[in-house]
Amino acid sequence: MVQATEINQPVSLNKFEKFKAEKDGLAVKDQLDHFAQIGWEAMDKTDLEHRLKWLGIFYRPVTPGKFMLRMRTPNGILTSEQLKVLGQIIQRYGDDGNADITTRQNLQLRGIRLEDIPDIFRRLKAVSMTSMQSGMDNVRNITGSPMAGLDGNELIDTRDLVQKVQDMITNHGEGNYQFTNLPRKFNIAIEGGRDNSVHAEINDIAFVPAYKDGQLGFNVLVGGFFSAKRCEAAIELDVWVPPNDDVVELCRAILTVYRNHGPRANRQKSRLMWLIDEWGIEEFRAKVAAEFGRPLATAAEKDEIDWEKRDHIGVFAQKQPGLNYVGLHIPVGRLYAEDMIDLARLAEVYGGGEIRLTVEQNVIIPNIPDENLNPFFAEPLLQKFSINPPSLERSLVSCTGAQFCNFALVETKNRALALSRELDKVLDIPQPVRIHWTGCPNSCGQPQVADIGLMGTKVRKNGKTVEGVDLYLGGKVGKDAQLGTCVQKGIACEDLLPVLQQLLIDNFGAKLK
Ligand code: SRM
Ligand code: SF4
């Protein structure tokens, strides 16, 4: 365990730092059988509401007694066996059970009963899955190129690197006290292609492909984050690393510097960028280099992100002759047990038994031979999860919202879907328009990377408080990515349809049908 003396603590601790100092979140791992026996109502409140998140178990005040389990899905890749097990886990919860694909290429299961957790963890371990350290002041799911190893134009296959970084941070899924007391949450992304499929710029550490002296490796960006008070794109660390264990070691060095020196007094000012602000990027780089223990190469002059972002929906030839990957559109990322079990079956019957997730909350089934494509397309599940969805629905992303999240100011997923379906019915839209919904200023649905971003808020209308949104425009992804900004505040959700319709006509070339 990390000694408190190694961590630069403020004199007066905030509530979160206090309970972390009293007992590390990971310690609840040894108490799961006990919790399952006594039931959630009898648990210590801090263990229930906070420490369980160190194991990926989220108490949901909106659905008390029905927990959310946030998995880790490195690089968004699952075997059909793993997806089947996840489907079977939520199957027993009937209508309460579902799973959402998240904006970090990951899955969150719902309806989970605490008494089932010990058994669930045994079943996850049997298929090499973990939910370890996926919430609170830990490193989130590590994202990588969704077509790693499939795309003929790929520069670096990110799969192994992502897995190794996760294994380092979580001690191969067993839990690692070295990194369970960060000042705040932390995001890492490793891009291996030319189109910035991981949204590198919104991560605390991002690796982007770059040639240095003719050798392919990564330039490193640091400090990107969204929070209710501040959103920043990541900046250059002026470091280049080869695509090998140096990636893992650099993550270790940055996390160690952040853990020991990151600001902890105010939770609204604790993300990595606040430390970089305090020190300046040169001093931060020097501290990281000292922790790394070897000289770090300076950044390559330019990175290789020079493509528009692809959405991976549809059918694409792989670099392996005769094989294809097929991207299925999953409306707002919502899956049910039978969907997961059926997706696993499709991956086994038609592909190579693998399923991938994207940060757009969709699914890719790789390794489908040419001759399997037609029978695959005839499968009933493709009526629900289309390879050719309507224009706006295709690019729609939404956070959890009020159905399960107690931070939410509005309902998101159902409303987002209903609205985009209405608009798709009346408009012809000549270009993809990416609409992202997020239920509150925490920005889990990343409205700042969208063409049109909608952030939940409360609005006064006719003397009443109603659900509304702030409107963001100008987010750009892929090459030359940039964050969108708020252009209009406080539109009541009930007035949103005509506002969006006009916006699509005026700014995105949409025409009434
Ligand atoms: Fe998030 C907190 C859901 C991606 C910024 N986020 C939460 C909590 C845990 C709040 C809570 O306890 O209820 C939400 C769980 C609701 C639920 O029941 O599902 C939640 N965040 C999500 C997910 C599921 C949204 C989705 O529908 O896809 C995403 C899970 C990703 C994963 O697999 O781990 C999710 N959250 C993000 C992202 C996007 C990203 O990483 O690209 C962001 C902005 C980027 C960033 O973090 O810099 C994000 N979530 C936050 C924040 C604001 C962080 C901050 O520094 O202030 C919070 C609140 C907090 O940490 O205090 C938060
Ligand atoms: Fe919940 Fe807000 Fe995140 Fe949506 S943006 S999941 S409402 S915390």
Side-chain angles (χ1 to χ4, degrees), residues 405-432:
C405 179
N406 56 308
F407 286 120
L409 299 170
V410 303
E411 204 288 312
T412 51
K413 283 199 190 264
N414 294 315
R415 175 178 274 141
L417 201 52
L419 221 85
S420 68
R421 285 181 176 164
E422 289 280 317
L423 289 163
D424 271 323
K425 252 190 251 163
V426 295
L427 293 176
D428 271 326
I429 307 163
Q431 65 191 84

Side-chain angles (χ1 to χ4, degrees), residues 53 58 60 68 70-71 100-108 110 134 140-141 184-185 187 202-204 224-228 267-268 271 361 398-400 404-407 413 442-446:
K53 293 183 183 172
F58 287 63
R60 300 289 73 195
M68 182 266 277
R70 179 184 283 167
M71 301 304 304
D100 285 331
I101 306 174
T102 76
T103 50
R104 293 201 68 79
Q105 215 176 23
N106 193 14
L107 278 170
Q108 293 189 163
R110 294 193 194 274
S134 60
R140 298 288 180 271
N141 191 49
R184 208 54 169 91
K185 70 181 290 196
N187 292 324
I202 63 171
N203 284 268
D204 295 274
F225 79 111
F226 295 161
S227 73
R267 299 249 332 146
Q268 294 304 326
R271 295 289 296 269
Q361 303 175 319
S398 172
C399 84
T400 306
F404 298 111
C405 179
N406 56 308
F407 286 120
K413 283 199 190 264
N442 283 328
S443 297
C444 306
Q446 314 150 324

Side-chain angles (χ1 to χ4, degrees), residues 226-252:
F226 295 161
S227 73
K229 292 272 179 293
R230 179 180 175 197
C231 294
E232 290 291 345
I235 58 171
E236 286 188 20
L237 181 60
D238 192 19
V239 165
W240 178 92
V241 280
N244 58 25
D245 283 353
D246 281 7
V247 168
V248 184
E249 288 314 309
L250 185 63
C251 287
R252 191 200 299 274

Side-chain angles (χ1 to χ4, degrees), residues 269-306:
K269 296 186 172 177
S270 304
R271 295 289 296 269
L272 180 65
M273 188 60 109
W274 293 96
L275 176 64
I276 297 172
D277 284 350
E278 193 186 315
W279 282 354
I281 191 72
E282 288 82 13
E283 185 179 343
F284 178 72
R285 187 189 189 283
K287 290 277 194 337
V288 169
E291 190 61 48
F292 188 72
R294 283 175 285 134
L296 284 164
T298 54
E301 234 166 62
K302 66 171 196 61
D303 64 43
E304 297 299 312
I305 305 290
D306 52 7

